[in-house]
């Protein structure tokens, strides 16, 4: 009997000795800067086995425990929150503790650790993401510049904008088209309507439609997206109305080609080669097809004016087109064409913002080089 | 009114998206997620509009026997064949008619259009890189140096283990220093222009895209 | 007058003639590759040398992160790298963060003849763990335990039953990490998440478009070597002693670039001659 008791004790002791150690210093806290239903659990990840896995259980006030996930112990944290698999996360404003049990990731026979338990925590939704204070501050400053300059414009102040040769050339191109009796081709880029470059293109298209209607020049607008078709159609129609020429609006001239990039490219090339427009305007976001358009337009003898903020396509347009609006010049073109003081004033605001940015850049570079990275660290966007 | 309501919707949606970036609260997040879903659904339905536009315009060309009206027939037949196969027949997996058409027609045609770039770069470079001004000389010099640095022949003429790293070293410097600096400067300016345009649209300073009178 | 009009005609050659000459310049070298000297840049030399220093039976982790669109530039490197490692008798643990990559990997293993020509045994001399979704999470998870991140290999065999994997726990058990990267997730993420945190030796190959973005990592020492674009891969092929598709492609690319430079210079000469004639 005594030997059986000793053997049992030995077995118990051996199995206890083989159990994995529990994680140290477990804590649970509301996940910061989130939309609620999320609690983060953390533990000390030093001195844990690389093959240890932590089983995380959420324990409610009534003692009901639910396993919410498993993670390698070396990770050191686990977020109990909404997941792509449909997990809801802990409800807000309810107290929970978390039970962390260490098991082996590869040896299912090894005994688990005794559970480590965290203190009580509750989940809450935050109203403001404090990691983005830097973005809010900079945007607010820029908005203030814009609003202040619009106020100045409303008070009658004049703003100087340097001459944009490509924009001046647009009027000359339309005049050329009138003399030659050939159409103007307007390609508004290949992106969807939610791209800011496409929106800017629609703004310019309205002015172009007005001018071409006034001079009785046919305007062709092939588009890649049906949504852009709807907007372009309305913009051209209202441009013709603005010019007092509703009869100039021809819905067949605004045409959806294809949503496939190179099918659209082939379609536009076909229009250029068949109809031989006097002027081609490429204003929007482009990708690889930019040079194909420009070269085909050159072969057709068209005067070509391009504008894009797509840096990779600018060299092709600059090489192959007669005039190119580069980057922010493209966004300024819409305001420039109207000469509306309120719109032109926003260009001044953008210039002020640029001066501010350059100053911050120089300051950041100097401080970083002097071994003070805190200033530039503040600008990191999380 | 015809412009006011579209502007109001633009303002509400634009402001909501900006605020969404700063407010993580899930109630607000679910509203903006819903708005984004609506946007996706509207864009998806707009493809019906696109097909109708294609059929109408090509149909008019066919009925009027406009020049190249036979091409319009090819276009319409291709459109309905591909769409029909995709909707009413198996459209996934090797050997299906849809995939066969995709592999034998669409893919090579796309690749052909893409391949045109090589030829057009040649004709554009031949035409455009003329030393008409100081900037043009800088442009063509940089182009020649980068092209030489990019291929083995350039390295054979002036190798990377020689003075200044040879053509490859000069190419690397051009790409890493002036090219990258210019690219970043354009990006920053364009970003400011984009924010400015977005703000003009949201505040209603620009309303040309809304149409109306 | 006749001379001037000839100069004008030469200055503005019909572009169809340019296209024909370019087509010939690309096709002929592809059919008959030119024996061009390929000068090896330090970046590729360092990549090769580090791999060359590996002792026999060392274990390397190969992350295959490209898809069919990256194949023309990166598959030649994958083939050359596999050949190099097989000749060195180095063992490979292969995984990927890109879902289209596993069949491409198997195709390369078959093409190089890892099991047939080199007589290597799957599970002993090399293992293909397959694809895992998770991007940076997978990268950090491997820092803790590669075996726990990939509990089975690509064929579903439990990692516990794979002899090679008994020697590999995490990054500290591999001599180096080699990434064949067509984009994201790829080299950039490995540098940011793995190299700085775990100190593992990192090298690899990337597409020409991404090359300039990764060169600063090489210069800072975070990458021990990099083969960027078809040119970099051709250099690596040369060092390994292979004449692969990258080397053949270099002939065509060289011919095209030289032709372009000739056209530019020719056009400028005609331009200046015409201007002088007009004066």
């Amino acid at each position: 009997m005594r030997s059986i008791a000793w053997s049992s004790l030995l077995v118990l002791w051996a199995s206890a000795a083989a159990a994995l150690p529990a994680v140290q210093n477990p804590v649970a806290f509301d996940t910061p800067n989130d939309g609620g239903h999320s609690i983060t659990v953390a533990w000390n990840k030093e001195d844990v086995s690389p093959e240890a896995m932590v089983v995380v259980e959420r324990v409610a006030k009534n003692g009901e425990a639910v396993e919410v996930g498993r993670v390698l112990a070396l990770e050191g944290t686990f977020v109990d929150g909404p997941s792509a698999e449909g997990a809801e996360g802990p409800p807000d404003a309810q107290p929970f503790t978390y039970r962390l049990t260490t098991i082996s990731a590869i040896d299912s026979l090894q005994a688990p650790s005794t559970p480590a338990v965290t203190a009580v925590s509750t989940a809450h939704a935050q109203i403001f993401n404090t990691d983005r204070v830097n973005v809010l501050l900079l945007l607010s400053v820029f908005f203030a510049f814009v609003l202040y300059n619009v106020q100045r414009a409303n008070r009658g102040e004049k703003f100087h904008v340097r001459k944009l040769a490509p924009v001046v050339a647009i009027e000359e191109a339309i005049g050329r088209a009138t003399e030659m009796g050939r159409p103007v081709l307007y390609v508004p880029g290949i992106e969807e309507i939610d791209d800011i470059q496409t929106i800017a293109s629609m703004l310019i298209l309205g002015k172009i439609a007005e001018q071409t209607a006034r001079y009785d020049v046919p305007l062709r607008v092939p588009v890649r997206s049906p949504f852009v078709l709807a907007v372009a159609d309305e913009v051209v129609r209202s441009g013709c109305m603005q010019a007092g020429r509703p009869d100039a609006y021809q819905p067949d001239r605004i045409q959806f080609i294809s949503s496939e990039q190179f099918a659209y490219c082939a379609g536009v090339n076909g229009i250029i080669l068949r109809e031989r427009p006097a002027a081609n305007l490429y204003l929007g976001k482009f990708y690889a097809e930019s040079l194909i358009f420009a070269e085909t337009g050159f072969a057709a003898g068209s005067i070509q004016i391009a504008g894009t903020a797509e840096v990779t396509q600018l060299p092709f347009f600059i090489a192959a087109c007669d005039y190119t609006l580069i980057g922010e010049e493209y966004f300024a073109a819409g305001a420039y064409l109207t000469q509306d003081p309120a719109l032109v004033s926003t260009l001044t605001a953008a210039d002020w913002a640029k001066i501010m940015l350059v100053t911050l850049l120089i300051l950041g570079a100097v401080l970083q080089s002097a071994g003070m990275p805190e200033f530039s660290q503040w600008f990191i966007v999380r | 009114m015809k412009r006011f309501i579209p502007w109001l919707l633009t303002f509400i949606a634009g402001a909501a998206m900006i605020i969404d970036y700063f407010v993580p609260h899930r109630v607000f997040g679910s509203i903006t997620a819903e708005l984004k879903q609506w946007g996706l659904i509207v864009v998806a339905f707009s493809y019906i509009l696109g097909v109708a536009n294609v059929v109408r315009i090509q149909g008019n060309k066919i009925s009027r026997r406009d020049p190249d009206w036979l091409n319009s027939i090819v276009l319409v037949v291709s459109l309905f064949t591909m769409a029909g196969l995709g909707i009413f027949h198996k459209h996934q997996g090797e050997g299906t008619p849809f995939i066969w058409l995709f592999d034998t027609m669409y893919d090579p045609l796309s690749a052909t259009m893409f391949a045109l770039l090589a030829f057009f770069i040649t004709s554009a470079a031949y035409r455009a890189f003329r030393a008409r001004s100081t900037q043009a000389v800088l442009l063509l010099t940089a182009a020649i140096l980068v092209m030489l640095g990019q291929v083995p022949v350039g390295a054979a003429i002036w190798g990377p283990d020689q003075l200044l790293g040879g053509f490859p070293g000069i190419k690397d410097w051009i790409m890493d220093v002036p090219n990258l600096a210019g690219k970043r400067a354009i990006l920053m300016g364009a970003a400011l222009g984009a924010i400015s345009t977005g703000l003009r649209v949201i505040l209603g300073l620009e309303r040309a895209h809304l149409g109306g009178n | 007058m006749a001379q001037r009009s000839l100069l004008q005609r030469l200055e503005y050659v019909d572009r169809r003639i340019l296209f024909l000459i370019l087509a010939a310049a690309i096709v002929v070298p592809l059919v008959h590759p030119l024996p061009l000297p390929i000068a090896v840049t330090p970046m590729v030399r360092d990549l090769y040398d580090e791999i060359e220093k590996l002792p026999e039976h060392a274990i390397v982790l190969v992350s295959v992160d490209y898809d069919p669109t990256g194949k023309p530039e990166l598959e030649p490197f994958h083939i050359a790298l596999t050949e190099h490692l097989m000749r060195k008798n180095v063992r490979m643990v292969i995984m990927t963060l890109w879902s289209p990559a596993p069949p491409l990997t198997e195709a390369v293993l078959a093409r190089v003849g890892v099991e047939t020509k080199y007589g290597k045994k799957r599970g002993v001399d090399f293992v293909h763990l397959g694809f895992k979704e998770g991007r940076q999470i997978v990268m950090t998870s491997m820092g803790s335990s590669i075996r726990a991140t990939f509990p089975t290999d690509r064929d579903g065999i439990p990692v516990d039953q794979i002899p090679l994997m008994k020697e590999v726990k995490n990054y500290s058990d591999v001599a180096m990490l080699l990434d064949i990267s067509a984009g994201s997730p790829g080299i950039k993420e490995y540098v940011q998440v793995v190299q700085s945190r775990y100190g593992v030796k990192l090298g690899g190959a990337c597409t020409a478009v991404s090359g300039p973005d990764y060169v600063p990592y090489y210069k800072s020492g975070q990458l021990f070597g990099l083969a960027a674009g078809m040119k970099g891969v051709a250099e690596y092929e040369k060092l390994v002693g292979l004449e692969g598709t990258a080397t053949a492609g270099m002939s065509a690319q060289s011919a095209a670039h030289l032709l372009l430079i000739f056209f530019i210079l020719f056009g400028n000469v005609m331009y200046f001659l015409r201007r002088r004639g007009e004066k």
Side-chain angles (χ1 to χ4, degrees), chain B residues 187-208:
Chain B
L187 274 172
M188 280 195 277
L192 284 173
I195 297 171
S196 179
T197 301
L199 198 58
R200 291 202 301 263
V201 168
I202 288 172
L203 293 178
L205 295 172
E206 284 264 24
R207 296 201 193 189

Side-chain angles (χ1 to χ4, degrees), chain C residues 164-210:
Chain C
L164 178 55
M165 291 308 293
K166 286 184 172 34
E167 299 180 51
V168 178
K169 290 193 188 63
N170 52 39
Y171 293 125
S172 56
D173 296 316
V174 300
M176 60 176 56
L177 166 60
L178 296 162
D179 186 24
I180 311 172
S181 166
S184 175
I187 286 180
K188 194 172 188 171
E189 287 73 21
Y190 272 119
V191 168
Q192 290 167 348
V193 170
V194 172
Q195 205 285 325
S196 50
R197 191 167 159 182
Y198 301 101
V200 65
K201 265 195 202 164
L202 177 63
C206 65
T207 53
V209 163
S210 311

